[in-house]
Structures are given as C-alpha cells and as structure tokens.
C-alpha cells in the first residue's frame, strides 16, 4: 500500500524490494528509486492520485534482481522512461547471463536486460525539476551500489537500499569498501532513511543507529 513519507516522496510498497517514488512536480514527472519485481505493483499508483504514465525516470541502486526485474516491463509500457545506474553494475543490468551477479538464480527467475540511459562514474548530482538527486557511490554490497539523497521540507531523505548486505563473492562484495561507504553515509547526517528491505527510519538518531549497527556487524 502506497504511503507518503514526506512532501512529494512516497513508499510505493514492496515487490522484491521496497520501491520509492519522488514526484518532481514538473515536466520531469515521477522518479522511481528501484523498480522491484512487478509492473502491476507499480501501476497501483494510479489509485493514489498519480498517473503511471507520468513515470519518466528510474534510478537503480544496484544490479540485483529484486531491484531491477520489472525494468524490462516498465520499458515496454513506458518507452520513454530513462534508467540510471552506476557503471560498475551496468553489465549485469544491460546484458543477459549474469545470474550470479544479479542473484536471479536465487529467485529462480530469468532476467530480461534493459539498456541504461545514463551511467554514473562518480558521486554527482542529477537535477530533475526542482529536485537535486545526490548520487553517492556506496560500494560494498556490490561494486556499483549507490545511495541517493534528496531534500524535502528541509529534511535530508536518504535512499540507502540494502545497507544491511548480504555480502558474498558472487556479488563481488567488498567489506572494506562497505565500511568506507557506511561512514560516508553517516557523515551525511540524514533525517530519514528509506531502506531496501527493513523499512523507513526517522529521525536522524534512528538513521544513525541503523547504519552503525550494520557497520559494526559487517567488519572486514
């Protein structure tokens, strides 16, 4: 069930992973943070005074199937949608045959690749309408994992998917990178954390506690 988090930012719900949405209130339309595993699930936004056809962008936080499986269906339904991800996770997203990198084998599904319209190579800001999406490279879970920071009503909203892990060689995980990434996120002092599987955390002390807990648990 769709839920408003703060002005113009929503939790669409959970389909494999948590899917989030930012309404730019402009010609740039609606921006998805990850796509999950079900197109029908995303279409439900039509029931919440939004229009599915207004989804124009989808930022993918990493290459795992529970975050990207619906991409091909989204592209079929919305041919002009633009997909974004980090270059280091781009190959498993754009090419078939990477079932270990995408974890498709874990779910017993066949991933249909989708082409990225833009690849991130470093930390940067993606401006869509009046919103600045701060793209933060946070490797560890996967080499190309990113987190996204957006401000609304004076609060820092952090989309930090899969900050808990898991970590394994098949994902090309790196715990040393992960430790540095978590410190980078702690330094942001976010007010709200939208996590990929464990919910929404606020205020800032709850965000810090969540990140610090997993940082301690996953020492290299």
């Amino acid at each position: 069930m769709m839920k408003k988090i703060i002005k113009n930012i929503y939790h669409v719900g959970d389909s494999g992973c948590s899917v989030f949405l930012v309404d730019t209130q402009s010609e740039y339309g609606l921006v998805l943070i990850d796509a999950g595993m079900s197109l029908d699930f995303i279409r439900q936004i039509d029931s919440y005074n939004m229009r599915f056809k207004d989804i124009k962008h989808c930022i993918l936080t990493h290459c795992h199937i529970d975050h990207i499986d619906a991409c091909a269906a989204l592209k079929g339904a919305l041919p002009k949608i633009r997909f974004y991800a980090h270059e280091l996770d781009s190959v498993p997203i754009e090419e078939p045959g990477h079932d270990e990198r995408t974890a498709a084998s874990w779910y017993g599904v066949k991933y249909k690749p989708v082409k990225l319209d833009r690849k991130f190579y470093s930390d940067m800001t993606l401006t869509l309408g009046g919103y600045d999406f701060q793209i933060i490279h946070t490797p560890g879970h996967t080499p190309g994992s990113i987190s996204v920071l957006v401000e609304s009503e004076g609060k820092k909203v952090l989309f930090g998917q899969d900050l808990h892990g898991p970590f394994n060689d098949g994902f090309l995980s790196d715990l040393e990178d992960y430790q540095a990434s978590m410190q980078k996120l702690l330094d942001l002092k976010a007010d709200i954390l939208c996590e990929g599987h464990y919910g929404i955390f606020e205020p800032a002390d709850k965000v810090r506690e969540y990140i610090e807990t997993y940082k301690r648990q996953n020492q290299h």
Side-chain angles (χ1 to χ4, degrees):
M1 184 174 181
M2 192 159 167
K3 175 187 175 183
K4 181 178 178 180
I5 299 170
I6 196 169
K7 183 180 179 182
N8 295 330
I9 298 178
Y10 301 85
H11 177 210
V12 179
D14 297 277
S15 167
C17 73
S18 292
V19 175
F20 300 99
L21 180 149
V22 179
D23 183 356
T24 68
Q25 296 279 298
S26 73
E27 70 273 16
Y28 290 91
L30 307 176
V31 182
L32 289 177
I33 309 293
D34 286 329
M37 301 185 75
S38 167
L39 181 65
D40 289 340
F41 156 79
I42 298 172
R43 285 186 184 275
Q44 70 167 319
I45 70 168
D46 283 338
S47 302
Y48 292 88
N49 297 317
M50 292 185 183
R51 299 190 303 177
F52 172 78
K53 67 180 183 179
D54 287 339
I55 299 173
K56 296 185 178 181
H57 306 271
C58 182
I59 300 172
L60 302 172
T61 62
H62 62 291
C63 65
H64 286 164
I65 194 73
D66 49 329
H67 297 257
I68 66 173
D69 192 39
C71 289
L74 265 172
K75 188 68 174 179
L78 303 168
K80 293 185 179 180
I81 190 171
R82 293 177 60 85
F83 290 102
Y84 307 79
H86 195 279
E87 186 270 337
L88 292 176
D89 271 21
S90 64
V91 170
I93 294 171
E94 294 189 305
E95 298 178 6
H98 297 274
D99 287 356
E100 194 169 13
R101 287 282 308 276
T102 63
S105 54
W106 287 23
Y107 288 81
V109 299
K110 186 173 179 62
Y111 171 62
K112 295 181 180 178
V114 67
K115 288 297 179 185
L116 296 169
D117 295 276
R118 184 168 180 179
K119 299 174 187 178
F120 304 126
Y121 291 84
S122 61
D123 293 1
M124 59 158 290
T125 298
L126 178 67
T127 301
L128 299 171
Y131 283 88
D132 290 332
F133 294 78
Q134 187 177 340
I135 307 300
I136 306 152
H137 186 207
T138 48
H141 180 48
T142 70
S145 289
I146 61 169
S147 300
V148 183
L149 190 73
V150 176
E151 290 198 21
S152 177
E153 297 186 317
K155 291 189 175 183
K156 296 178 181 178
V157 183
L158 176 65
F159 301 97
Q161 304 280 58
D162 292 20
L163 300 188
H164 59 283
F167 307 92
N168 68 53
D169 292 343
F171 297 166
L172 305 183
S173 300
D174 187 307
L175 286 175
E176 187 171 348
D177 284 348
Y178 171 78
Q179 289 291 317
S181 294
M182 293 308 98
Q183 188 57 54
K184 186 190 288 191
L185 295 185
L186 287 168
D187 291 344
L188 294 173
K189 296 180 169 59
D191 299 290
I192 301 172
L193 170 63
C194 301
E195 214 273 346
H197 297 274
Y198 287 107
I200 298 160
F201 299 84
E202 58 180 317
D205 61 334
K206 296 291 186 184
V207 176
R208 185 181 66 251
E209 179 184 5
Y210 181 88
I211 298 172
E212 285 180 341
T213 295
Y214 283 99
K215 187 173 184 289
R216 283 194 303 271
Q217 288 181 12
N218 294 296
Q219 299 284 343
H220 60 89

